[in-house]
Amino acid sequence: TISDKGLVGEDGWLFAKQYNAVAMYQNDNLFTDKQLSKIREDLISFNKWVESRGSNFYILFIPDKETIYGEYYPKNYGKVNEISRMEQVLKLLDGTEIKFVYPYEEMIERKKKETVYYKTGTHWNDTGAYLGYKALFSKIKKDYPDIKILKENELNIVSKKIGDLDVANSLAIDVDKEYTVEELTNKMFSPKSKNYQFRETNFKDRKRGYMYD
């Protein structure tokens, strides 16, 4: 199923069509050599500026839903190039002093057991976000060994009917009719210790594209 705002892929997986998302999936908008040179120059310059002030600069590159769940993308959208913009940037920064992480392998491995992105929207769920957090702070901990990384057994993890509905809403899909409760159930993470806090989104505000029952 195709519309101007979103795509319905295999097994009910929804994908955004806005923000150049289709071209990103197809690798149809690669950076030019000039653009890559500018990206490299700017990041190295900014890294030096941060270090000159006694701090460290870290980048977390987040694998998008289309990369992690590409097998569900509508089959009539083929790849134009084998390499992606993300792969261009990763290759560009490899061997530089820029400290970055890209938790692709972690997310691919974890999705064998549970979803890491919401089926009905564009964003990662708490499981995916935790993997990103763990990857980033594992990198930071190399420079700041006293930093504590919360393990999953230090978190309250509950399964709830909760989801990102931005694509579903753009397609006017009634998720309560079209999806099972199991498909709409995701894990929610929160720290057990009161010494830590997570910044939360108001999931009850459906106008922002979220649901929370």
Side-chain angles (χ1 to χ4, degrees):
T1 301
I2 304 174
S3 83
D4 292 335
K5 298 180 179 179
L7 300 170
V8 180
E10 302 291 322
D11 195 30
W13 279 84
L14 304 184
F15 299 92
K17 198 174 182 181
Q18 300 167 306
Y19 315 115
N20 219 23
V22 175
M24 289 281 286
Y25 168 76
Q26 293 185 299
N27 301 333
D28 193 25
N29 57 350
L30 298 184
F31 291 117
T32 64
D33 289 341
K34 184 177 180 180
Q35 289 173 323
L36 288 170
S37 179
K38 185 68 165 58
I39 291 171
R40 188 177 189 275
E41 178 184 325
D42 287 348
L43 288 176
I44 290 176
S45 176
F46 183 72
N47 184 59
K48 289 181 178 179
W49 180 85
V50 172
E51 289 184 339
S52 71
R53 284 154 178 77
S55 298
N56 287 290
F57 173 47
Y58 305 90
I59 304 176
L60 169 61
F61 292 114
I62 303 172
D64 59 23
K65 182 179 181 179
E66 291 78 5
T67 298
I68 301 300
Y69 288 100
E71 68 270 28
Y72 295 109
Y73 209 80
K75 302 306 180 187
N76 53 318
Y77 288 90
K79 298 286 188 179
V80 176
N81 294 288
E82 292 186 7
I83 190 173
S84 67
R85 282 162 63 109
M86 187 72 263
E87 290 171 318
Q88 282 185 295
V89 173
L90 295 175
K91 183 178 180 180
L92 179 77
L93 298 181
D94 191 32
T96 70
E97 295 182 355
I98 303 295
K99 300 173 182 178
F100 65 91
V101 293
Y102 181 61
Y104 170 81
E105 296 296 341
E106 295 91 325
M107 297 184 76
I108 289 295
E109 184 63 28
R110 188 62 171 262
K111 84 167 192 176
K112 296 176 183 178
K113 302 177 182 178
E114 58 189 295
T115 57
V116 295
Y117 267 87
Y118 293 112
K119 194 169 186 175
T120 53
T122 57
H123 299 90
W124 59 8
N125 58 22
D126 278 16
T127 302
Y130 175 77
L131 295 176
Y133 151 78
K134 186 178 178 182
L136 176 60
F137 275 77
S138 294
K139 172 70 75 171
I140 295 174
K141 191 175 177 66
K142 293 179 179 179
D143 297 317
Y144 303 96
D146 291 337
I147 284 181
K148 178 175 175 57
I149 301 174
L150 290 175
K151 299 177 182 178
E152 289 188 59
N153 61 14
E154 297 176 286
L155 300 168
N156 293 311
I157 303 177
V158 296
S159 294
K160 287 184 177 289
K161 182 184 175 185
I162 178 175
D164 171 16
L165 304 180
D166 57 356
V167 181
N169 286 346
S170 73
L171 294 170
I173 293 175
D174 185 340
V175 296
D176 291 321
K177 291 182 180 180
E178 300 296 333
Y179 293 85
T180 65
V181 172
E182 182 179 1
E183 289 177 305
L184 299 174
T185 297
N186 291 270
K187 290 181 177 179
M188 290 186 66
F189 290 52
S190 62
K192 293 178 180 179
S193 172
K194 294 182 178 180
N195 293 326
Y196 301 90
Q197 291 185 348
F198 282 178
R199 185 176 181 181
E200 297 182 355
T201 302
N202 180 10
F203 286 102
K204 293 184 179 180
D205 185 356
R206 282 178 176 260
K207 293 182 179 179
R208 295 184 62 185
Y210 294 96
M211 70 172 178
Y212 177 25
D213 291 341

